Amino acid sequence: MGGSTDLQSVSFEEPGFTDMMGGFFGDAPLWFSIPFVSIFVLAIGSIVYAIIKGMAERAKNNASEVLTVPVKLIAKRTEVWGGSGDSRARTSYYLTFEAQNGDRKEMEVTGEQYGLSMEGDEGMLTFQGTRFKKFERSMQA
């Protein structure tokens, strides 16, 4: 019947780490390959951590009650990031509010809201967790 197979020549062992990485690093020693693999694992881990952290903050905000409190706008600031090489610069806008009991809360806002606001403004701040909803200034006579 068909051909016979020599069972002594068949290997059922799984390849080891150095065998699997051999195609990528060639004949590089293990001490040379480990830093590259470590950096790759660290980068992937950082991305996964950032995604999970963002999802957790979103879930916490969604579970938080929407609050509206009287406040005074006490500070404005911007943060510019990026812009190296061919990438464009981005600006984040922040307003710091102080409630009547002295508690302070810094909220990230849109550029439009930032531009319409002035330190010293008083009004009603609506927020949900760390999420800014709106700030309605009081009309002062």
Side-chain angles (χ1 to χ4, degrees):
M1 294 224 237
S4 66
T5 304
D6 183 10
L7 290 178
Q8 291 180 351
S9 65
V10 176
S11 173
F12 292 104
E13 293 182 22
E14 293 185 25
F17 177 77
T18 55
D19 295 332
M20 291 188 301
M21 298 307 289
F24 184 72
F25 291 108
D27 291 330
L30 187 60
W31 63 266
F32 183 77
S33 304
I34 287 177
F36 291 102
V37 172
S38 299
I39 290 170
F40 177 75
V41 168
L42 185 63
I44 296 298
S46 297
I47 292 169
V48 169
Y49 174 77
I51 290 170
I52 290 172
K53 184 178 175 187
M55 289 171 52
E57 183 174 348
R58 180 182 170 105
K60 184 178 176 186
N61 282 341
N62 289 342
S64 296
E65 182 180 352
V66 176
L67 299 173
T68 301
V69 295
V71 296
K72 180 176 183 177
L73 177 60
I74 59 168
K76 295 172 64 171
R77 76 175 180 93
T78 60
E79 180 180 7
V80 180
W81 47 282
S84 62
D86 291 335
S87 69
R88 65 177 210 169
R90 291 173 175 80
T91 305
S92 296
Y93 301 94
Y94 300 92
L95 299 177
T96 302
F97 299 96
E98 184 175 61
Q100 292 174 340
N101 65 1
D103 287 347
R104 293 181 176 192
K105 191 167 202 67
E106 182 178 69
M107 312 287 300
E108 185 171 0
V109 299
T110 64
E112 180 182 6
Q113 180 65 52
Y114 182 88
L116 293 172
S117 302
M118 211 168 107
E119 288 184 22
D121 284 349
E122 294 183 10
M124 301 300 287
L125 171 66
T126 303
F127 63 98
Q128 183 179 23
T130 61
R131 185 181 300 142
F132 174 85
K133 294 286 192 178
K134 66 181 175 178
F135 175 61
E136 295 177 321
R137 286 181 288 172
S138 302
M139 294 298 168
Q140 299 171 352

